[in-house]
Every structure is written in structure tokens, then in C-alpha cells.
Amino acid sequence: MQTIITAAAIFSMYLNAAENQNSNYYYNADMENGKVTTMYVYTEDGQSLSGKVAYHYEYDEQDRLVKKETMRWDSQRNQWVNERCLELTYTTEGYEVAMRKWDRNGQAYLPVMEKAVYHYAFNQVMAVNYLRRQAEDKDFTSEGGMFVMNPTEGILLASR
């Protein structure tokens, strides 16, 4: 069982969002080599659209998501401003998602203070551990965890 976020999953998410006729949001995307690199979300502001949020995606050589940056539209400065970043690293046992917040004063991402570690516990069960540290020079401590089951693996969901 392999659970990863790929370029195809991001593209599918974009198509689903863009086709939702009942949404108050409008979507646009930058694409490169068939992959969504940035997805923009807008809201209607009278007769025009206003920027709301943008997501920038980076992938590895296997088309797995390795970085997702979130940016908010700053109408005062008329530009996208970094907010946070998710960094994904993959191992043979699973993967890790680390969250970094943007430091506006330093104009750089702060060190990782929170992360989730996903690893395959046993057949069709993934363990998720949430870790946090109180300071940059402190070790990560567990904030909790859970098991996630995938009961649909190999099960036929529809038949003729």
C-alpha cells in the first residue's frame, strides 16, 4: 500500500475545484510539463476578481509532492505574501510532513516546529504521529497520534 501525493493528484484537485459551479471562488493555475505549479484562488469583488490565496507546488523526480507553499494576497502592497510551507520527505516506511511559518521580518521561513510522521504500521494500516517542539533548540515531542485504515484496498466497489 502506497499513499503519496503526486502531480496527478494535484491536477485532479485543481480540475475538481475549477469545475464546481456552486463555489464563491474562482481558480486559475500555472502549469509546467503537465503539472500544476501554482494554483490561484480568487473571490468576486464587484465587477472584478480579487486574489485570495495561492498555492505553489514543487515535485521530485518521481512526480511526488515535496513542497506546498501557501501565499495570501496583500491588497495594500498589491502582491502575494508567503504565509507557510509544507515540506514532504519520503522514506521506505512512509513520509513526513513538516510545517514552516513565514517570518515577515526576516523574509524567510522559520525552522520546523510542527510535523506529522506517517508510517506503515502493518497491512492496510498507517500510523500518524503529530510532533511539536517548544523551541528551535528543543527536541520534538509527541502531541498525539492515530491509526488510519484503508479498508477499500483490493475491494470491488461496484459490479455489473
Side-chain angles (χ1 to χ4, degrees):
M1 178 176 73
Q2 219 17 300
T3 305
I4 57 174
I5 302 170
T6 64
I10 299 296
F11 184 66
S12 175
M13 179 185 67
Y14 165 70
L15 290 177
N16 287 334
E19 290 184 8
N20 185 352
Q21 299 296 317
N22 297 324
S23 176
N24 294 326
Y25 299 104
Y26 299 86
Y27 301 87
N28 196 13
D30 291 336
M31 306 235 355
E32 188 175 302
N33 298 324
K35 300 175 199 167
V36 175
T37 55
T38 307
M39 183 173 13
Y40 302 95
V41 181
Y42 301 93
T43 57
E44 193 169 355
D45 186 17
Q47 297 295 321
S48 63
L49 298 178
S50 296
K52 178 86 172 152
V53 67
Y55 302 102
H56 178 73
Y57 303 99
E58 293 180 20
Y59 308 92
D60 65 11
E61 64 283 345
Q62 296 177 41
D63 282 346
R64 298 178 300 188
L65 182 66
V66 293
K67 189 174 188 179
K68 175 186 175 186
E69 289 182 284
T70 302
M71 298 162 282
R72 296 271 175 207
W73 181 252
D74 184 334
S75 58
Q76 301 292 322
R77 295 190 290 180
N78 206 30
Q79 68 182 26
W80 294 106
V81 177
N82 288 342
E83 184 174 270
R84 69 178 164 268
C85 174
L86 298 179
E87 296 171 333
L88 292 84
T89 52
Y90 298 89
T91 67
T92 56
E93 293 84 32
Y95 56 96
E96 186 175 294
V97 181
M99 199 258 301
R100 299 175 70 186
K101 294 180 181 177
W102 182 255
D103 179 2
R104 287 186 181 196
N105 295 329
Q107 291 297 296
Y109 284 107
L110 296 168
V112 174
M113 301 301 284
E114 302 174 39
K115 62 183 175 178
V117 178
Y118 297 77
H119 67 274
Y120 305 108
F122 47 91
N123 191 28
Q124 297 185 9
V125 176
M126 178 171 271
V128 183
N129 296 305
Y130 301 103
L131 306 172
R132 182 183 305 238
R133 61 182 174 180
Q134 299 303 315
E136 187 178 330
D137 61 342
K138 301 291 184 192
D139 290 335
F140 284 94
T141 58
S142 178
E143 292 285 314
M146 66 179 172
F147 287 106
V148 180
M149 297 181 68
N150 183 9
T152 60
E153 180 85 11
I155 296 176
L156 183 62
L157 298 178
S159 63
R160 293 189 210 198

